[in-house]
């Protein structure tokens, strides 16, 4: 057996354990530890193929299926293709799967929404009593009115609807957060629904389980506990790669000892030097170690220390890339045909470099909506990215077919029922749509770039698209300027108010960023992906927050009292969060990795980092402009 084939079979025991757990007559739940580049998806697909070959007929005869929950739509498509679209396997995202469980429970959904709206209204009214007059007061009043109106219309809704890929803006539609929250509540409170889940799916496999919303993960664990002899809950993932703040902290510790715990220790992606680095990164956390392939290249790792006060960071980062080209002999690091994936450990750093800071910063600063902002699913986001952007692109390129397609797809002015009701006045309705599009074009080509608020108000006035509830407070009938309240950054309304001051062009850059089609990328977007050349950029000053601290992680700063208190309480610390993001970004590199670290004292940082032992003396360079 060659060394390479030995590498391929090194994790055979883990794969065999998974196959044994999927026995329908005696299922056993499991948590598969699978670090970066370990071939987790291949193991999942192989195990399912084995199940279908040996037990597929049993599934058909009993009318049951195997459910797989994956991280993204792209991951769903990949697994479906690998399994040749076998009808005995249901592959879906978490939102689609959740909706499949609660769809049709309309009376229960109505009661749940009514209770949630009452809570929201009471909270807003309490803030109204304490707040002073200003825009915030008006916006809260409009929000109260909107929620009250929704409550009043609940009784008229016969059947609720939901789409995992749209903004769900009709009055009978549920939003993404509601579907996840009520599914968790229903599974926890309704034994019948838990029994229905197990009867329909004797096996439920959850990929990237560390990022599954805590409430929903707790509900799945409750189902497993109640039906341990009949139900296999398979969790696949790596707690070091938890990205979302609403994922379950301490997932591994919450799993019963009766489960199986297979481990995959090979890293088939990274060169040997990068594997050594990421093993050291997680050594102080869970001490899990991976093994590099015997046929992997040695690879290159360099740490560039740069003064935080450098004037032009884009220039110095280009200089670091040029240095990497020289060190590695790989000219794709720099020049006209450079192909480098740049990852910042904090999204605001990418927002500044890529040019969507004014839109992104206020929304990112309000934690409850952060997850939706980072994956592009947040309330109000799709109005700009999925409706306005396609129309704007078509208008600017004078693509008449594209304009017609974008408006016909979601404009109420071209809705079939609206046109049918218009009867002989259909020409006037079509004319109104054209005038609305023409007006939007004039705003887009104006010498002064329009703000998102300007675009929003034009759409509202012309009824070009339906305005989401979260944005309705910003399209009042008059434009009276009132002194802003003090709680701008402390509420969703306040965050949106500031974000809408951004120029419209920032939406295009934000959209490219969250879709992962820019030079810069999100941690969510690159998880599971790999790139030959990776540049990781870190800076405490740019992060400007308490969520992350690269200085503490690198050993150049002391732990804070909050960190020490959180450690004692078993809670996430800024060091934990930073370590995870650093691990995810560094582990994307297939060939070479550059880390650009902005420090207020590069010389002192070099000494501290050398003592830490992550990088060798020859791998650290203090770079000046």
């Amino acid at each position: 057996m060659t060394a390479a084939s030995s590498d391929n079979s090194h994790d055979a025991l883990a794969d065999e354990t998974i196959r044994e757990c999927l026995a329908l007559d005696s299922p056993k739940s499991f948590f598969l530890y699978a670090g970066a580049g370990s071939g987790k998806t291949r193991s999942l697909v192989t195990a399912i193929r084995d199940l279908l070959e040996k037990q597929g007929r049993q599934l058909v005869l009993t009318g049951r299926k195997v459910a797989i929950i994956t991280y993204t739509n792209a991951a769903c498509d990949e697994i479906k293709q690998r399994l040749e679209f076998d009808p005995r396997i249901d592959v879906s995202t978490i939102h689609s799967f959740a909706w499949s469980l609660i769809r049709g429970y309309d009376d229960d959904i109505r009661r749940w929404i009514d209770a949630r709206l009452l809570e929201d209204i009471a909270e807003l009214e309490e803030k109204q009593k304490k707040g002073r007059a200003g825009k915030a007061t008006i916006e809260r009043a409009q929000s109260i009115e909107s929620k009250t109106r929704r409550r009043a219309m609940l009784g008229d809704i016969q059947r609720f609807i939901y789409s995992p890929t749209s903004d769900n803006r009709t009055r009978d539609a549920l939003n993404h957060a509601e579907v996840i929250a009520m599914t968790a509540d229903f599974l926890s409170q309704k034994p019948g629904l838990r029994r229905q889940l197990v009867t329909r799916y004797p096996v439920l496999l959850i990929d990237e389980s560390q990022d599954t919303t805590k409430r929903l993960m707790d509900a799945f664990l409750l189902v497993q506990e109640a039906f341990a002899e009949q139900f296999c809950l398979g969790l696949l993932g790596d707690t070091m790669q938890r990205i979302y703040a609403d994922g379950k902290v301490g997932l591994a510790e919450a799993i019963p000892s009766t489960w199986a715990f297979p481990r995959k220790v090979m890293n088939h992606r990274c060169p040997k030097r990068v594997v050594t680095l990421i093993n050291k990164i997680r050594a102080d956390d869970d001490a899990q170690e991976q093994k590099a392939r015997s046929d992997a290249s040695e690879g290159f790792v360099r740490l560039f220390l740069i003064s935080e006060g450098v004037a032009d960071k884009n220039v110095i980062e280009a200089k670091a890339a040029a240095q990497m080209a020289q060190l590695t002999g790989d000219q794709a690091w720099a020049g006209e045909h450079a192909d480098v994936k740049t990852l910042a450990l904090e999204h605001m750093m990418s927002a500044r470099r890529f040019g969507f800071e004014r839109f992104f910063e206020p929304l990112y600063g309000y934690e409850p909506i952060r997850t939706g902002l980072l994956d592009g699913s947040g309330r109000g986001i799709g109005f700009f990215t999925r409706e306005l952007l396609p129309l704007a692109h078509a208008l600017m390129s004078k693509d008449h077919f594209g304009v017609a397609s974008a408006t016909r797809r979601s404009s109420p002015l071209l809705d079939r029922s609206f046109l049918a009701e218009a009867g002989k006045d259909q020409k006037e309705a079509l004319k109104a749509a054209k005038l609305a599009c023409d007006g939007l074009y004039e705003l887009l080509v104006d010498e002064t770039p329009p703000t998102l608020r300007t675009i929003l108000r034009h759409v509202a006035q012309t009824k070009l698209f339906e305005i989401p509830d979260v944005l309705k407070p910003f399209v009042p009938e008059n434009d009276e300027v009132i002194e802003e309240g003090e709680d701008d950054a402390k509420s969703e309304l306040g965050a949106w108010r500031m974000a809408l001051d951004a120029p419209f062009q920032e939406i295009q850059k934000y959209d490219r960023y969250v879709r992962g089609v820019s030079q810069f990328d999100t941690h969510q977007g690159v998880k599971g992906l790999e790139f030959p050349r990776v540049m990781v950029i870190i800076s405490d000053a740019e992060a400007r927050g308490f969520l992350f601290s690269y200085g503490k992680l690198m050993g150049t700063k002391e732990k804070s009292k909050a960190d020490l208190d959180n450690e004692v309480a078993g809670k996430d610390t800024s060091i934990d969060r930073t370590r995870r993001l650093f691990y995810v970004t560094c582990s994307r590199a297939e060939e070479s990795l550059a880390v650009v670290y902005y420090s207020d004292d590069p010389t002192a940082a070099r000494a501290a980092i050398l003592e830490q032992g992550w990088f060798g003396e020859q791998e650290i360079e203090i770079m000046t402009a």
Side-chain angles (χ1 to χ4, degrees):
M1 178 182 292
T2 65
S5 60
S6 177
D7 289 338
N8 292 336
S9 61
H10 194 281
D11 290 327
L13 179 59
D15 292 339
E16 179 60 30
T17 300
I18 296 171
R19 287 194 291 269
E20 292 173 355
C21 288
L22 301 187
L24 298 179
D25 294 331
S26 56
K28 186 180 181 67
S29 295
F30 66 90
F31 177 81
L32 170 68
Y33 159 72
S38 61
K40 172 167 50 70
T41 301
R42 181 179 59 80
S43 292
L44 186 153
V45 169
T46 300
I48 293 297
R49 284 176 177 165
D50 183 76
L51 181 153
L52 293 175
E53 181 180 342
K54 296 177 180 177
Q55 307 173 86
R57 179 171 172 75
Q58 185 177 345
L59 285 174
V60 173
L61 292 176
T62 56
R64 296 181 295 172
K65 295 186 177 184
V66 171
I68 302 175
I69 296 175
T70 63
Y71 191 68
T72 62
N73 288 316
C76 282
D77 293 341
E78 179 184 355
I79 292 177
K80 287 177 182 177
Q81 290 173 5
R82 290 199 196 185
L83 293 173
E84 299 177 335
F85 299 93
D86 195 296
R88 294 166 291 184
I89 310 298
D90 276 351
V91 187
S92 60
T93 62
I94 188 66
H95 290 89
S96 295
F97 184 78
W99 177 237
S100 75
L101 294 179
I102 66 172
R103 182 174 51 216
Y105 284 80
D106 297 295
D107 290 338
D108 294 295
I109 291 172
R110 184 178 295 104
R111 284 191 289 270
W112 188 95
I113 294 174
D114 185 63
R116 178 65 65 89
L117 288 171
L118 275 174
E119 291 177 7
D120 291 347
I121 291 169
E123 182 179 342
L124 287 167
E125 288 178 338
E126 185 64 26
K127 289 183 177 180
Q128 286 292 69
K129 294 177 183 177
K130 298 178 180 178
R132 65 184 188 183
K135 276 191 176 182
T137 303
I138 293 176
E139 289 161 7
R140 280 195 296 267
Q142 291 171 328
S143 186
I144 291 171
E145 181 184 354
S146 175
K147 291 178 184 295
T148 302
R149 188 166 57 248
R150 189 185 183 195
R151 277 199 72 216
M153 292 189 296
L154 285 176
D156 299 329
I157 299 174
Q158 299 299 313
R159 183 169 294 277
F160 290 90
I161 64 172
Y162 169 72
S163 169
T165 57
S166 76
D167 292 327
N168 301 293
R169 275 198 238 126
T170 58
R171 67 175 187 171
D172 55 352
L174 305 172
N175 66 48
H176 305 300
E178 287 173 339
V179 167
I180 294 297
M182 72 175 66
T183 300
D185 287 348
F186 288 3
L187 280 173
S188 300
Q189 300 163 7
K190 299 179 182 298
L193 183 60
R194 296 198 291 271
R195 191 174 302 108
Q196 178 183 324
L197 167 60
V198 173
T199 301
R200 187 190 308 177
Y201 300 112
V203 175
L204 170 59
L205 305 177
I206 304 178
D207 195 10
E208 303 291 0
S209 57
Q210 71 277 354
D211 274 319
T212 301
T213 304
K214 177 185 181 301
R215 290 176 63 186
L216 195 52
M217 179 55 70
D218 285 339
F220 286 141
L221 292 173
L222 185 65
V223 174
Q224 191 280 333
E225 182 181 8
F227 296 93
E229 304 299 321
Q230 306 160 246
F231 178 61
C232 168
L233 177 60
L235 306 181
L236 300 90
D238 177 11
T239 53
M240 183 56 65
Q241 297 187 66
R242 180 167 65 85
I243 298 296
Y244 288 127
D246 54 2
K248 183 173 176 62
V249 177
L251 173 60
E253 291 76 15
I255 294 174
S257 59
T258 53
W259 286 34
F261 290 86
R263 293 179 67 248
K264 291 177 71 69
V265 300
M266 289 300 300
N267 184 314
H268 299 280
R269 171 194 301 150
C270 302
K272 295 174 182 177
R273 179 62 189 93
V274 172
V275 173
T276 300
L277 174 63
I278 61 177
N279 283 341
K280 289 183 177 180
I281 291 172
R282 70 186 301 164
D284 290 335
D285 184 88
D286 59 11
Q288 296 278 10
E289 287 197 358
Q290 287 186 290
K291 175 181 172 63
R293 289 185 62 88
S294 57
D295 57 355
S297 64
E298 185 60 32
F300 290 87
V301 169
R302 288 296 184 274
L303 172 64
F304 297 97
L305 291 170
I306 302 169
S307 173
E308 193 70 70
V310 69
D312 193 327
K313 293 183 176 176
N314 288 327
V315 169
I316 201 72
E317 287 160 20
K319 184 177 178 180
Q323 180 72 349
M324 286 298 293
Q326 183 177 343
L327 288 168
T328 63
D330 181 359
Q331 296 309 307
W333 262 103
E336 183 179 352
H337 302 292
D339 182 15
V340 179
K341 180 60 72 169
T342 303
L343 304 173
L345 287 193
E346 217 282 335
H347 295 281
M348 277 308 306
M349 296 165 65
S350 292
R352 292 186 194 99
R353 283 165 172 76
F354 200 36
F356 57 94
E357 175 184 3
R358 291 183 63 186
F359 168 73
F360 187 81
E361 184 170 20
L363 295 174
Y364 186 62
Y366 183 58
E367 198 278 333
I369 61 177
R370 187 176 297 149
T371 296
L373 177 69
L374 295 178
D375 65 14
S377 68
R379 297 198 306 163
I381 299 293
F383 170 76
F384 291 108
T385 60
R386 290 190 285 275
E387 294 187 3
L388 277 170
L389 264 186
L391 178 57
H393 289 158
L395 287 169
M396 295 301 289
S397 58
K398 300 189 184 302
D399 176 4
H400 301 298
F401 178 80
V403 171
S405 177
T407 50
R408 189 182 300 115
R409 184 167 55 248
S410 49
S411 175
L413 296 176
L414 298 183
D415 181 76
R416 288 183 179 180
S417 59
F418 178 78
L419 291 175
E421 291 177 6
K424 296 180 180 180
D425 296 327
Q426 282 189 11
K427 285 187 177 180
E428 291 301 314
L430 294 172
K431 182 179 179 182
K434 183 179 185 304
L435 287 173
C437 289
D438 290 345
L440 177 60
Y441 175 77
E442 293 301 321
L443 288 173
L444 293 172
V445 299
D446 192 88
E447 290 184 7
T448 304
T451 64
L452 295 174
R453 181 179 279 101
T454 300
I455 297 293
L456 176 67
R457 291 189 170 183
H458 171 78
V459 171
Q461 290 164 0
T462 60
K463 296 181 172 58
L464 180 57
F465 294 118
E466 185 178 349
I467 306 298
D469 284 346
V470 72
L471 298 179
K472 283 181 180 177
F474 307 103
V475 288
E477 295 180 356
N478 61 75
D479 292 334
E480 182 180 359
V481 177
I482 302 175
E483 187 69 26
E484 294 184 0
E486 293 180 345
D487 62 342
D488 276 356
K490 301 176 183 177
S491 69
E492 186 174 15
L493 285 173
W496 267 111
R497 180 195 303 153
M498 292 185 284
L500 291 174
D501 288 333
F504 182 72
Q505 62 191 24
E506 288 198 10
I507 279 291
Q508 180 175 5
K509 295 179 178 179
Y510 158 80
D511 181 57
R512 286 175 57 80
Y513 179 66
V514 296
R515 288 191 293 113
V517 295
S518 70
Q519 173 194 350
F520 299 94
D521 216 327
T522 67
H523 311 105
Q524 292 84 358
V526 300
K527 195 159 58 170
L529 301 181
E530 52 201 30
F531 311 94
R533 293 155 293 278
V534 172
M535 176 178 285
V536 177
I537 303 175
I538 57 181
S539 165
D540 279 332
E542 281 195 82
R544 293 191 303 186
F546 60 89
L547 290 175
F548 307 98
S549 176
Y550 318 122
K552 294 174 187 176
L553 178 67
M554 296 292 190
T556 63
K557 293 182 181 178
E558 296 293 327
K559 294 180 181 179
S560 67
K561 182 179 183 303
D563 288 321
L564 295 173
D565 291 343
N566 284 334
E567 278 185 3
V568 172
K571 297 180 180 179
D572 246 7
T573 69
S574 60
I575 300 173
D576 295 328
R577 288 185 288 267
T578 310
R579 186 191 307 276
R580 291 197 299 268
L581 297 186
F582 194 45
Y583 177 89
V584 169
T585 49
C586 290
S587 62
R588 301 307 99 195
E590 295 176 288
E591 298 173 10
S592 50
L593 168 70
V595 178
V596 175
Y597 180 18
Y598 290 100
S599 170
D600 52 6
D601 189 343
T603 302
R606 186 179 191 278
I609 292 169
L610 279 174
E611 184 176 344
Q612 187 183 49
W614 289 8
F615 299 88
E617 285 198 37
Q618 302 304 313
E619 294 177 327
I620 303 177
E621 178 178 339
I622 296 179
M623 180 170 282
T624 57

